[in-house]
């Protein structure tokens, strides 16, 4: 079992390291656990145990938090279990993510378990229960929507906290909007208006920036 850790991991998140090591020790070399510090979204990865599964490294950002967790419809009790994605090198990963809150109830981090199920696919029929992906839970829909909005607000605040929005150049604004777009922030209803208010610009300006950065994607 190998692990890498940031020198600046907060005490609130550091206490989850033994749990991460225990999970990997239990499930073996196909299992990876990643700790994210959502106070620094652009460089959220602060601890990885067994990074040979997806190749995660310290200082990277989150990838699936908004699209596959917050917007999944399956987020319940601050976690989503058993969704899948495919890595760039073709591994099929079964993943579960739990949000971490501080004593004040604010989401400050996330603990993600990534399990490489590629070797098991030939045994799928025997392992069907183990490999089953999550289904949308009934009820509590309003609470889920409220929770997503609160987490999104916190993420936007964290992304913008290190910049003086009134003094930003257009290039700096485009970089921020591009990062948010990559991470799925604008998939959430009302996010453009929230970002515009927090950046002290109009919604029309945010839409214009989005058009500009998306044109660059297509080049």
């Amino acid at each position: 079992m190998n692990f890498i850790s940031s020198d600046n991991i907060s005490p609130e998140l550091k206490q989850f390291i033994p749990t991460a090591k225990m999970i990997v020790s239990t499930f073996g070399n196909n299992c990876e656990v990643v700790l994210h510090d959502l106070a620094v979204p652009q460089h959220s990865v602060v601890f990885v145990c067994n990074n040979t599964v997806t190749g995660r490294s310290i200082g990277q950002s989150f990838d699936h938090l908004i699209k596959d967790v917050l917007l999944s419809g399956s987020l319940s009790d601050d976690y989503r279990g058993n969704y899948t994605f495919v890595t760039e090198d073709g591994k099929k990963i079964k993943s579960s993510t739990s949000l971490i809150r501080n004593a004040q109830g604010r989401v400050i981090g996330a603990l993600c378990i990534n399990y490489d199920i590629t070797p098991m696919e030939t045994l799928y029929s025997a392992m069907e229960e183990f490999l089953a992906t999550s289904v949308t839970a009934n009820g509590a829909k309003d609470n889920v929507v409220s929770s997503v909005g609160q987490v999104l607000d916190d993420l936007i605040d964290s992304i913008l906290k290190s910049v003086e929005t009134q003094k930003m150049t257009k290039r700096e604004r485009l970089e921020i909007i591009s990062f948010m777009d990559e991470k799925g922030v604008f998939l959430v209803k009302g996010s453009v208006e929230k970002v515009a208010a927090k950046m002290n610009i109009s919604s029309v300006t945010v839409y214009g920036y989005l058009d500009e950065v998306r044109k660059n994607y297509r080049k």
Side-chain angles (χ1 to χ4, degrees), residues 182-202:
E182 275 182 33
K183 299 306 177 184
V185 168
F186 296 110
L187 294 175
V188 182
K189 185 177 180 180
S191 57
V192 168
E193 291 74 16
K194 287 183 179 181
V195 170
K198 291 176 184 292
M199 292 182 70
N200 297 309
I201 55 179
S202 69

Side-chain angles (χ1 to χ4, degrees), residues 107-138:
V107 173
I108 59 168
L111 185 148
C112 302
I113 302 172
N114 299 320
Y115 195 96
D116 181 6
I117 60 174
T118 310
M120 294 185 178
E121 287 203 305
T122 55
L123 302 175
Y124 182 78
S125 59
M127 300 291 292
E128 186 173 5
E129 181 176 349
F130 179 78
L131 297 175
T133 55
S134 59
V135 295
T136 302
N138 292 324

Side-chain angles (χ1 to χ4, degrees), residues 7-92:
D7 293 332
N8 299 317
I9 186 169
S10 71
E12 289 173 305
L13 295 178
K14 195 171 186 178
Q15 64 182 325
F16 288 90
I17 289 178
T19 301
K21 291 180 179 179
M22 177 192 67
I23 292 169
V24 169
S25 178
T26 299
F27 292 103
N29 291 333
N30 287 333
C31 181
E32 168 190 88
V33 178
V34 183
L35 271 175
H36 291 273
D37 184 347
L38 297 181
V40 283
Q42 291 95 328
H43 308 285
S44 62
V45 177
V46 292
F47 178 84
V48 187
C49 197
N50 198 18
N51 71 330
T52 57
V53 175
T54 67
R56 289 301 241 158
S57 61
I58 301 302
Q60 290 181 336
S61 183
F62 59 85
D63 287 329
H64 306 281
L65 180 66
I66 294 178
K67 296 177 184 177
D68 291 329
V69 179
L70 298 182
L71 294 179
S72 68
S74 298
L75 179 68
S76 179
D77 294 329
D78 277 351
Y79 84 95
R80 185 193 177 192
N82 303 325
Y83 58 94
T84 60
F85 64 91
V86 178
T87 63
E88 291 184 359
D89 58 357
K91 294 178 182 176
K92 187 172 183 180

